[in-house]
Amino acid sequence: MPQITINGTACEFSKGQTIIQAADAHGVEIPRYCYHPGLSIPANCRICLAEVSQLNPKTGKLERIPKLMPTCHTAAVDGMVVSTVSEPARENQKQVMEFLLINHPVDCPVCDQAGECTLQDYSYQHGNAQSRFQEQKIKQPKKDVGEHVLLYSDRCIMCTRCVRFTREVTGTNELMVSGRGGTESIDVFPGQALEAAGMSGNVVDLCPVGALLDKDFLFKQRVWFLKRVPSIDGITASGDNIWVEQNEGRVWRLKPRENAAINQWWMTDEVRYGWKFIHSDERLTLPTMRGAAVDGADPAGAWNAALSRADALLRGAVASRTGVALAVSPMLSCEDAFLLAHTALAYDPDAILGIGPVPVSGSDRTVGTFTISAEKAPNARGVRRTLEAVAASVPGRSSGATVHDWSALRAALAKRAGAAVILTGNYPGAWQTPELIAAVNGHPLLLLDTLRGPLCSSAEVVMPAATWLEKDGSFESARGHLQGFCRAIEPVGAARSEGQVAIDLDAIRRGVKGDHFDVASIRAEMGATAGMEQFATLCQPSDVARRATSDMQFVEI
Ligand code: SF4
Ligand code: FES
């Protein structure tokens, strides 16, 4: 393989790679503002310039190119020697920093980007401690450019990443460079708002300084208080890789996590802002029975009472031969589905198994190379696959591996009057439609859900469930990627994961103490009892090194 030397490190590269790409692949840091791997390369910021020497084919000698070269735009050539730490390269970095800061307000103490700003970082590394600029700074306005994004123009360094994003990725062209010289600024075209085909938040991630800001996050948290946990989109079937950023058990924002095979560097606004229900005042936090709190019981006591009542209802339904039905929501993980099916079939080996409603909005939309999924549930395929595998593993089950979709499940319930129904929700919004309420009407109902809804007052037992950010699990996306995710925050209130509820219920059935939900041992059990060996290869919460990288890997199904 051809090789170049960057700052003393030997870096192999493949044909067509630029110097900065070879450096990135080997962990050699080169400063950059305008360069982004997902965008075209204008080479306009000049911070990445380096001293470059390469072999002269005529003399066979290594010769220095007389001027500094932009590493983002210069193709790597075998035998090249590159330095971004030599005296001329350092001097260039200093001068670029001085130029960029001439009109910059240097308002880091009140800037949302402080702590994750490359202007700030490179100022420390390459800048001057004091400004020589004595003149009046040019003041630029703050602008509201779209539903989610604010522009603080005087912090902009004109890298044009945001403009190129709307031109090259979304093709929506809302942003432009207006004016010339010192009064140049980014703006939206007159009468247009920045929507970027539902992906506007990406410009905030792309902006290397605090010029483009997320209205939703503005002044909420200093970024150095946030802890990041890698996760997966739990709102749609896209399987997009995300970072969950939380502080003291409260989620503050989601960011895209790079995965070249799935979402590249991007995420939709729908996923970015879709987590708000997690801290909604409408969250269910304690078990209730027939709409009433369990009198005088602490959370543990309320759970014991609710589980005992649920156990009695399920036993009663089996004894009276009406049987049990389980509707697993497509919002649940494969592990939750496995444990719920396991428990339901332990009560009633002929239990009706089905998938809850799968919300779909329009059809899939392609934005550049990015697909916005029409299916607004993360795991319809994984839930089906898991239920089928568990059902097939039950000997003598009369309906075999049959798993109903929602309409077939409603028909099956209509034929089985009085069957006890275990119904799971965990949708980010209202989902209990009149049709759904009618389908479970007349059935003893055990409801596991996250948000208050009409069924909470009529269900025999309501158990508060943990959202995907509050538990470990895995989802199978619409494109057949099975991916694990790890808990980012503790469950809200006394909520438990549906998988934990299934374990606890089964323990009461057997008269033993319930285990703690441990995703690694559940995945091992899925392999051993239901032939789902692929789950063992998913990232486990204990795999700290793998979790620390942005690549948590996925299994192609
Ligand atoms: S607003 Fe940000 S991303 Fe856009 S050109 Fe200015 S610095 Fe670059
Ligand atoms: S990163 Fe190379 S010129 Fe901007």
PDB file of all heavy atoms in Angstrom, residues 204-235:
ATOM      1  N   VAL A 204     -26.375  22.792  12.511  1.00  0.00           N
ATOM      2  CA  VAL A 204     -25.834  23.161  13.828  1.00  0.00           C
ATOM      3  C   VAL A 204     -24.634  22.265  14.152  1.00  0.00           C
ATOM      4  O   VAL A 204     -23.600  22.728  14.640  1.00  0.00           O
ATOM      5  CB  VAL A 204     -26.928  23.027  14.912  1.00  0.00           C
ATOM      6  CG1 VAL A 204     -26.354  23.324  16.294  1.00  0.00           C
ATOM      7  CG2 VAL A 204     -28.112  23.938  14.606  1.00  0.00           C
ATOM      8  N   ASP A 205     -24.765  20.974  13.850  1.00  0.00           N
ATOM      9  CA  ASP A 205     -23.631  20.049  14.081  1.00  0.00           C
ATOM     10  C   ASP A 205     -22.449  20.417  13.192  1.00  0.00           C
ATOM     11  O   ASP A 205     -21.299  20.289  13.593  1.00  0.00           O
ATOM     12  CB  ASP A 205     -24.028  18.605  13.766  1.00  0.00           C
ATOM     13  CG  ASP A 205     -25.270  18.169  14.513  1.00  0.00           C
ATOM     14  OD1 ASP A 205     -25.512  18.708  15.604  1.00  0.00           O
ATOM     15  OD2 ASP A 205     -26.003  17.299  13.996  1.00  0.00           O
ATOM     16  N   LEU A 206     -22.757  20.832  11.961  1.00  0.00           N
ATOM     17  CA  LEU A 206     -21.684  21.123  11.004  1.00  0.00           C
ATOM     18  C   LEU A 206     -20.933  22.404  11.340  1.00  0.00           C
ATOM     19  O   LEU A 206     -19.739  22.517  11.074  1.00  0.00           O
ATOM     20  CB  LEU A 206     -22.277  21.269   9.595  1.00  0.00           C
ATOM     21  CG  LEU A 206     -22.614  19.988   8.856  1.00  0.00           C
ATOM     22  CD1 LEU A 206     -23.409  20.313   7.593  1.00  0.00           C
ATOM     23  CD2 LEU A 206     -21.353  19.227   8.479  1.00  0.00           C
ATOM     24  N   CYS A 207     -21.641  23.371  11.917  1.00  0.00           N
ATOM     25  CA  CYS A 207     -21.021  24.678  12.165  1.00  0.00           C
ATOM     26  C   CYS A 207     -19.881  24.504  13.184  1.00  0.00           C
ATOM     27  O   CYS A 207     -20.115  24.085  14.312  1.00  0.00           O
ATOM     28  CB  CYS A 207     -22.068  25.654  12.690  1.00  0.00           C
ATOM     29  SG  CYS A 207     -21.405  27.321  12.876  1.00  0.00           S
ATOM     30  N   PRO A 208     -18.651  24.834  12.792  1.00  0.00           N
ATOM     31  CA  PRO A 208     -17.536  24.583  13.712  1.00  0.00           C
ATOM     32  C   PRO A 208     -17.449  25.594  14.847  1.00  0.00           C
ATOM     33  O   PRO A 208     -16.677  25.430  15.779  1.00  0.00           O
ATOM     34  CB  PRO A 208     -16.306  24.690  12.797  1.00  0.00           C
ATOM     35  CG  PRO A 208     -16.738  25.572  11.670  1.00  0.00           C
ATOM     36  CD  PRO A 208     -18.214  25.380  11.501  1.00  0.00           C
ATOM     37  N   VAL A 209     -18.270  26.674  14.746  1.00  0.00           N
ATOM     38  CA  VAL A 209     -18.260  27.716  15.783  1.00  0.00           C
ATOM     39  C   VAL A 209     -19.692  27.881  16.305  1.00  0.00           C
ATOM     40  O   VAL A 209     -20.559  27.084  15.993  1.00  0.00           O
ATOM     41  CB  VAL A 209     -17.707  29.035  15.194  1.00  0.00           C
ATOM     42  CG1 VAL A 209     -16.283  28.837  14.727  1.00  0.00           C
ATOM     43  CG2 VAL A 209     -18.572  29.529  14.040  1.00  0.00           C
ATOM     44  N   GLY A 210     -19.941  28.912  17.066  1.00  0.00           N
ATOM     45  CA  GLY A 210     -21.277  29.081  17.644  1.00  0.00           C
ATOM     46  C   GLY A 210     -22.182  29.970  16.821  1.00  0.00           C
ATOM     47  O   GLY A 210     -23.005  30.704  17.369  1.00  0.00           O
ATOM     48  N   ALA A 211     -22.059  29.911  15.494  1.00  0.00           N
ATOM     49  CA  ALA A 211     -22.878  30.780  14.649  1.00  0.00           C
ATOM     50  C   ALA A 211     -24.273  30.201  14.430  1.00  0.00           C
ATOM     51  O   ALA A 211     -25.263  30.921  14.497  1.00  0.00           O
ATOM     52  CB  ALA A 211     -22.186  31.019  13.311  1.00  0.00           C
ATOM     53  N   LEU A 212     -24.345  28.910  14.144  1.00  0.00           N
ATOM     54  CA  LEU A 212     -25.647  28.280  13.971  1.00  0.00           C
ATOM     55  C   LEU A 212     -25.972  27.514  15.249  1.00  0.00           C
ATOM     56  O   LEU A 212     -25.200  26.646  15.685  1.00  0.00           O
ATOM     57  CB  LEU A 212     -25.626  27.346  12.760  1.00  0.00           C
ATOM     58  CG  LEU A 212     -25.581  28.087  11.416  1.00  0.00           C
ATOM     59  CD1 LEU A 212     -25.238  27.150  10.283  1.00  0.00           C
ATOM     60  CD2 LEU A 212     -26.903  28.806  11.135  1.00  0.00           C
ATOM     61  N   LEU A 213     -27.095  27.852  15.850  1.00  0.00           N
ATOM     62  CA  LEU A 213     -27.418  27.311  17.169  1.00  0.00           C
ATOM     63  C   LEU A 213     -28.788  26.644  17.164  1.00  0.00           C
ATOM     64  O   LEU A 213     -29.700  27.070  16.448  1.00  0.00           O
ATOM     65  CB  LEU A 213     -27.404  28.435  18.201  1.00  0.00           C
ATOM     66  CG  LEU A 213     -26.037  29.117  18.389  1.00  0.00           C
ATOM     67  CD1 LEU A 213     -26.186  30.371  19.228  1.00  0.00           C
ATOM     68  CD2 LEU A 213     -25.053  28.160  19.043  1.00  0.00           C
ATOM     69  N   ASP A 214     -28.894  25.622  17.980  1.00  0.00           N
ATOM     70  CA  ASP A 214     -30.125  24.857  18.104  1.00  0.00           C
ATOM     71  C   ASP A 214     -31.042  25.570  19.099  1.00  0.00           C
ATOM     72  O   ASP A 214     -30.707  25.691  20.280  1.00  0.00           O
ATOM     73  CB  ASP A 214     -29.746  23.453  18.614  1.00  0.00           C
ATOM     74  CG  ASP A 214     -30.911  22.506  18.603  1.00  0.00           C
ATOM     75  OD1 ASP A 214     -32.060  22.976  18.613  1.00  0.00           O
ATOM     76  OD2 ASP A 214     -30.664  21.284  18.584  1.00  0.00           O
ATOM     77  N   LYS A 215     -32.184  26.042  18.620  1.00  0.00           N
ATOM     78  CA  LYS A 215     -33.100  26.775  19.514  1.00  0.00           C
ATOM     79  C   LYS A 215     -33.496  25.931  20.714  1.00  0.00           C
ATOM     80  O   LYS A 215     -33.678  26.437  21.811  1.00  0.00           O
ATOM     81  CB  LYS A 215     -34.388  27.143  18.752  1.00  0.00           C
ATOM     82  CG  LYS A 215     -34.236  28.229  17.741  1.00  0.00           C
ATOM     83  CD  LYS A 215     -35.609  28.513  17.122  1.00  0.00           C
ATOM     84  CE  LYS A 215     -35.490  29.386  15.914  1.00  0.00           C
ATOM     85  NZ  LYS A 215     -36.777  29.534  15.207  1.00  0.00           N
ATOM     86  N   ASP A 216     -33.625  24.650  20.463  1.00  0.00           N
ATOM     87  CA  ASP A 216     -34.101  23.770  21.527  1.00  0.00           C
ATOM     88  C   ASP A 216     -33.079  23.614  22.659  1.00  0.00           C
ATOM     89  O   ASP A 216     -33.434  23.391  23.802  1.00  0.00           O
ATOM     90  CB  ASP A 216     -34.402  22.390  20.919  1.00  0.00           C
ATOM     91  CG  ASP A 216     -35.045  21.477  21.929  1.00  0.00           C
ATOM     92  OD1 ASP A 216     -36.134  21.823  22.393  1.00  0.00           O
ATOM     93  OD2 ASP A 216     -34.443  20.443  22.264  1.00  0.00           O
ATOM     94  N   PHE A 217     -31.808  23.743  22.326  1.00  0.00           N
ATOM     95  CA  PHE A 217     -30.745  23.520  23.315  1.00  0.00           C
ATOM     96  C   PHE A 217     -30.195  24.832  23.867  1.00  0.00           C
ATOM     97  O   PHE A 217     -29.485  24.846  24.872  1.00  0.00           O
ATOM     98  CB  PHE A 217     -29.619  22.706  22.645  1.00  0.00           C
ATOM     99  CG  PHE A 217     -28.505  22.323  23.562  1.00  0.00           C
ATOM    100  CD1 PHE A 217     -28.700  21.393  24.574  1.00  0.00           C
ATOM    101  CD2 PHE A 217     -27.241  22.889  23.432  1.00  0.00           C
ATOM    102  CE1 PHE A 217     -27.672  21.036  25.431  1.00  0.00           C
ATOM    103  CE2 PHE A 217     -26.197  22.539  24.280  1.00  0.00           C
ATOM    104  CZ  PHE A 217     -26.422  21.611  25.285  1.00  0.00           C
ATOM    105  N   LEU A 218     -30.584  25.943  23.234  1.00  0.00           N
ATOM    106  CA  LEU A 218     -29.978  27.246  23.541  1.00  0.00           C
ATOM    107  C   LEU A 218     -30.059  27.576  25.040  1.00  0.00           C
ATOM    108  O   LEU A 218     -31.140  27.602  25.631  1.00  0.00           O
ATOM    109  CB  LEU A 218     -30.700  28.329  22.732  1.00  0.00           C
ATOM    110  CG  LEU A 218     -30.044  29.703  22.725  1.00  0.00           C
ATOM    111  CD1 LEU A 218     -28.734  29.660  21.936  1.00  0.00           C
ATOM    112  CD2 LEU A 218     -30.992  30.734  22.106  1.00  0.00           C
ATOM    113  N   PHE A 219     -28.895  27.823  25.626  1.00  0.00           N
ATOM    114  CA  PHE A 219     -28.762  28.240  27.040  1.00  0.00           C
ATOM    115  C   PHE A 219     -29.298  27.208  28.036  1.00  0.00           C
ATOM    116  O   PHE A 219     -29.575  27.549  29.185  1.00  0.00           O
ATOM    117  CB  PHE A 219     -29.462  29.595  27.286  1.00  0.00           C
ATOM    118  CG  PHE A 219     -28.994  30.696  26.384  1.00  0.00           C
ATOM    119  CD1 PHE A 219     -29.897  31.602  25.833  1.00  0.00           C
ATOM    120  CD2 PHE A 219     -27.646  30.834  26.071  1.00  0.00           C
ATOM    121  CE1 PHE A 219     -29.469  32.615  24.988  1.00  0.00           C
ATOM    122  CE2 PHE A 219     -27.207  31.852  25.221  1.00  0.00           C
ATOM    123  CZ  PHE A 219     -28.116  32.742  24.679  1.00  0.00           C
ATOM    124  N   LYS A 220     -29.439  25.954  27.605  1.00  0.00           N
ATOM    125  CA  LYS A 220     -29.990  24.950  28.521  1.00  0.00           C
ATOM    126  C   LYS A 220     -28.896  24.338  29.397  1.00  0.00           C
ATOM    127  O   LYS A 220     -29.094  24.095  30.576  1.00  0.00           O
ATOM    128  CB  LYS A 220     -30.682  23.834  27.731  1.00  0.00           C
ATOM    129  CG  LYS A 220     -31.905  24.275  26.951  1.00  0.00           C
ATOM    130  CD  LYS A 220     -33.159  24.153  27.789  1.00  0.00           C
ATOM    131  CE  LYS A 220     -34.373  24.778  27.146  1.00  0.00           C
ATOM    132  NZ  LYS A 220     -34.747  24.222  25.865  1.00  0.00           N
ATOM    133  N   GLN A 221     -27.756  24.014  28.796  1.00  0.00           N
ATOM    134  CA  GLN A 221     -26.694  23.320  29.520  1.00  0.00           C
ATOM    135  C   GLN A 221     -25.348  23.757  28.986  1.00  0.00           C
ATOM    136  O   GLN A 221     -25.210  24.050  27.791  1.00  0.00           O
ATOM    137  CB  GLN A 221     -26.801  21.799  29.295  1.00  0.00           C
ATOM    138  CG  GLN A 221     -27.867  21.121  30.082  1.00  0.00           C
ATOM    139  CD  GLN A 221     -27.469  20.842  31.512  1.00  0.00           C
ATOM    140  OE1 GLN A 221     -26.555  20.091  31.794  1.00  0.00           O
ATOM    141  NE2 GLN A 221     -28.165  21.480  32.428  1.00  0.00           N
ATOM    142  N   ARG A 222     -24.334  23.757  29.816  1.00  0.00           N
ATOM    143  CA  ARG A 222     -22.968  23.896  29.311  1.00  0.00           C
ATOM    144  C   ARG A 222     -22.547  22.502  28.859  1.00  0.00           C
ATOM    145  O   ARG A 222     -22.790  21.515  29.571  1.00  0.00           O
ATOM    146  CB  ARG A 222     -22.010  24.400  30.393  1.00  0.00           C
ATOM    147  CG  ARG A 222     -22.345  25.728  31.028  1.00  0.00           C
ATOM    148  CD  ARG A 222     -22.500  26.962  30.181  1.00  0.00           C
ATOM    149  NE  ARG A 222     -21.938  27.038  28.863  1.00  0.00           N
ATOM    150  CZ  ARG A 222     -21.493  28.164  28.291  1.00  0.00           C
ATOM    151  NH1 ARG A 222     -21.509  29.295  28.956  1.00  0.00           N
ATOM    152  NH2 ARG A 222     -21.043  28.169  27.078  1.00  0.00           N
ATOM    153  N   VAL A 223     -21.913  22.437  27.710  1.00  0.00           N
ATOM    154  CA  VAL A 223     -21.701  21.108  27.117  1.00  0.00           C
ATOM    155  C   VAL A 223     -20.746  20.247  27.935  1.00  0.00           C
ATOM    156  O   VAL A 223     -20.785  19.021  27.843  1.00  0.00           O
ATOM    157  CB  VAL A 223     -21.206  21.205  25.661  1.00  0.00           C
ATOM    158  CG1 VAL A 223     -22.243  21.872  24.789  1.00  0.00           C
ATOM    159  CG2 VAL A 223     -19.874  21.916  25.560  1.00  0.00           C
ATOM    160  N   TRP A 224     -19.899  20.869  28.758  1.00  0.00           N
ATOM    161  CA  TRP A 224     -18.960  20.036  29.517  1.00  0.00           C
ATOM    162  C   TRP A 224     -19.649  19.291  30.659  1.00  0.00           C
ATOM    163  O   TRP A 224     -19.048  18.429  31.274  1.00  0.00           O
ATOM    164  CB  TRP A 224     -17.775  20.859  30.038  1.00  0.00           C
ATOM    165  CG  TRP A 224     -18.126  22.147  30.718  1.00  0.00           C
ATOM    166  CD1 TRP A 224     -18.440  22.302  32.030  1.00  0.00           C
ATOM    167  CD2 TRP A 224     -18.189  23.444  30.116  1.00  0.00           C
ATOM    168  NE1 TRP A 224     -18.703  23.621  32.292  1.00  0.00           N
ATOM    169  CE2 TRP A 224     -18.553  24.353  31.133  1.00  0.00           C
ATOM    170  CE3 TRP A 224     -17.989  23.935  28.823  1.00  0.00           C
ATOM    171  CZ2 TRP A 224     -18.713  25.713  30.905  1.00  0.00           C
ATOM    172  CZ3 TRP A 224     -18.149  25.288  28.603  1.00  0.00           C
ATOM    173  CH2 TRP A 224     -18.505  26.165  29.619  1.00  0.00           C
ATOM    174  N   PHE A 225     -20.906  19.602  30.936  1.00  0.00           N
ATOM    175  CA  PHE A 225     -21.638  18.820  31.944  1.00  0.00           C
ATOM    176  C   PHE A 225     -22.291  17.578  31.327  1.00  0.00           C
ATOM    177  O   PHE A 225     -22.805  16.724  32.043  1.00  0.00           O
ATOM    178  CB  PHE A 225     -22.735  19.670  32.596  1.00  0.00           C
ATOM    179  CG  PHE A 225     -22.201  20.797  33.439  1.00  0.00           C
ATOM    180  CD1 PHE A 225     -22.714  22.073  33.316  1.00  0.00           C
ATOM    181  CD2 PHE A 225     -21.185  20.575  34.357  1.00  0.00           C
ATOM    182  CE1 PHE A 225     -22.221  23.125  34.092  1.00  0.00           C
ATOM    183  CE2 PHE A 225     -20.687  21.614  35.137  1.00  0.00           C
ATOM    184  CZ  PHE A 225     -21.203  22.886  35.001  1.00  0.00           C
ATOM    185  N   LEU A 226     -22.331  17.509  30.011  1.00  0.00           N
ATOM    186  CA  LEU A 226     -23.074  16.426  29.360  1.00  0.00           C
ATOM    187  C   LEU A 226     -22.232  15.157  29.247  1.00  0.00           C
ATOM    188  O   LEU A 226     -21.035  15.226  28.997  1.00  0.00           O
ATOM    189  CB  LEU A 226     -23.517  16.858  27.953  1.00  0.00           C
ATOM    190  CG  LEU A 226     -24.444  18.076  27.886  1.00  0.00           C
ATOM    191  CD1 LEU A 226     -24.720  18.455  26.436  1.00  0.00           C
ATOM    192  CD2 LEU A 226     -25.755  17.786  28.603  1.00  0.00           C
ATOM    193  N   LYS A 227     -22.899  14.018  29.456  1.00  0.00           N
ATOM    194  CA  LYS A 227     -22.238  12.729  29.227  1.00  0.00           C
ATOM    195  C   LYS A 227     -22.898  12.082  28.015  1.00  0.00           C
ATOM    196  O   LYS A 227     -24.109  12.107  27.896  1.00  0.00           O
ATOM    197  CB  LYS A 227     -22.393  11.811  30.448  1.00  0.00           C
ATOM    198  CG  LYS A 227     -21.482  12.188  31.586  1.00  0.00           C
ATOM    199  CD  LYS A 227     -22.254  12.275  32.886  1.00  0.00           C
ATOM    200  CE  LYS A 227     -21.761  13.405  33.761  1.00  0.00           C
ATOM    201  NZ  LYS A 227     -22.792  14.399  34.075  1.00  0.00           N
ATOM    202  N   ARG A 228     -22.078  11.465  27.161  1.00  0.00           N
ATOM    203  CA  ARG A 228     -22.577  10.895  25.902  1.00  0.00           C
ATOM    204  C   ARG A 228     -22.706   9.385  26.007  1.00  0.00           C
ATOM    205  O   ARG A 228     -21.787   8.725  26.483  1.00  0.00           O
ATOM    206  CB  ARG A 228     -21.576  11.117  24.778  1.00  0.00           C
ATOM    207  CG  ARG A 228     -21.447  12.507  24.304  1.00  0.00           C
ATOM    208  CD  ARG A 228     -20.604  12.535  23.069  1.00  0.00           C
ATOM    209  NE  ARG A 228     -21.251  13.418  22.108  1.00  0.00           N
ATOM    210  CZ  ARG A 228     -20.883  13.558  20.852  1.00  0.00           C
ATOM    211  NH1 ARG A 228     -19.900  12.836  20.370  1.00  0.00           N
ATOM    212  NH2 ARG A 228     -21.513  14.385  20.058  1.00  0.00           N
ATOM    213  N   VAL A 229     -23.808   8.864  25.517  1.00  0.00           N
ATOM    214  CA  VAL A 229     -23.978   7.408  25.433  1.00  0.00           C
ATOM    215  C   VAL A 229     -24.383   7.089  23.992  1.00  0.00           C
ATOM    216  O   VAL A 229     -25.299   7.712  23.462  1.00  0.00           O
ATOM    217  CB  VAL A 229     -25.073   6.921  26.415  1.00  0.00           C
ATOM    218  CG1 VAL A 229     -25.260   5.421  26.322  1.00  0.00           C
ATOM    219  CG2 VAL A 229     -24.734   7.325  27.838  1.00  0.00           C
ATOM    220  N   PRO A 230     -23.713   6.123  23.349  1.00  0.00           N
ATOM    221  CA  PRO A 230     -24.107   5.772  21.973  1.00  0.00           C
ATOM    222  C   PRO A 230     -25.436   5.026  21.977  1.00  0.00           C
ATOM    223  O   PRO A 230     -25.681   4.188  22.841  1.00  0.00           O
ATOM    224  CB  PRO A 230     -22.962   4.860  21.502  1.00  0.00           C
ATOM    225  CG  PRO A 230     -22.366   4.314  22.748  1.00  0.00           C
ATOM    226  CD  PRO A 230     -22.585   5.332  23.835  1.00  0.00           C
ATOM    227  N   SER A 231     -26.299   5.355  21.024  1.00  0.00           N
ATOM    228  CA  SER A 231     -27.602   4.696  20.974  1.00  0.00           C
ATOM    229  C   SER A 231     -28.086   4.622  19.528  1.00  0.00           C
ATOM    230  O   SER A 231     -27.332   4.913  18.595  1.00  0.00           O
ATOM    231  CB  SER A 231     -28.594   5.457  21.855  1.00  0.00           C
ATOM    232  OG  SER A 231     -29.795   4.744  21.983  1.00  0.00           O
ATOM    233  N   ILE A 232     -29.356   4.222  19.382  1.00  0.00           N
ATOM    234  CA  ILE A 232     -29.970   4.014  18.069  1.00  0.00           C
ATOM    235  C   ILE A 232     -31.289   4.788  18.059  1.00  0.00           C
ATOM    236  O   ILE A 232     -31.939   4.899  19.100  1.00  0.00           O
ATOM    237  CB  ILE A 232     -30.267   2.504  17.853  1.00  0.00           C
ATOM    238  CG1 ILE A 232     -29.022   1.652  18.061  1.00  0.00           C
ATOM    239  CG2 ILE A 232     -30.899   2.221  16.501  1.00  0.00           C
ATOM    240  CD1 ILE A 232     -27.921   1.896  17.071  1.00  0.00           C
ATOM    241  N   ASP A 233     -31.687   5.265  16.901  1.00  0.00           N
ATOM    242  CA  ASP A 233     -32.984   5.934  16.749  1.00  0.00           C
ATOM    243  C   ASP A 233     -34.100   5.031  17.294  1.00  0.00           C
ATOM    244  O   ASP A 233     -34.272   3.904  16.828  1.00  0.00           O
ATOM    245  CB  ASP A 233     -33.188   6.226  15.244  1.00  0.00           C
ATOM    246  CG  ASP A 233     -34.622   6.569  14.879  1.00  0.00           C
ATOM    247  OD1 ASP A 233     -35.409   6.882  15.783  1.00  0.00           O
ATOM    248  OD2 ASP A 233     -34.920   6.540  13.668  1.00  0.00           O
ATOM    249  N   GLY A 234     -34.845   5.540  18.262  1.00  0.00           N
ATOM    250  CA  GLY A 234     -35.943   4.754  18.839  1.00  0.00           C
ATOM    251  C   GLY A 234     -37.302   5.299  18.455  1.00  0.00           C
ATOM    252  O   GLY A 234     -38.308   4.973  19.089  1.00  0.00           O
ATOM    253  N   ILE A 235     -37.345   6.146  17.422  1.00  0.00           N
ATOM    254  CA  ILE A 235     -38.596   6.800  17.017  1.00  0.00           C
ATOM    255  C   ILE A 235     -39.076   6.282  15.662  1.00  0.00           C
ATOM    256  O   ILE A 235     -40.257   6.151  15.421  1.00  0.00           O
ATOM    257  CB  ILE A 235     -38.368   8.338  16.895  1.00  0.00           C
ATOM    258  CG1 ILE A 235     -37.820   8.898  18.205  1.00  0.00           C
ATOM    259  CG2 ILE A 235     -39.622   9.054  16.445  1.00  0.00           C
ATOM    260  CD1 ILE A 235     -38.825   8.980  19.309  1.00  0.00           C
TER     261      ILE A 235
END
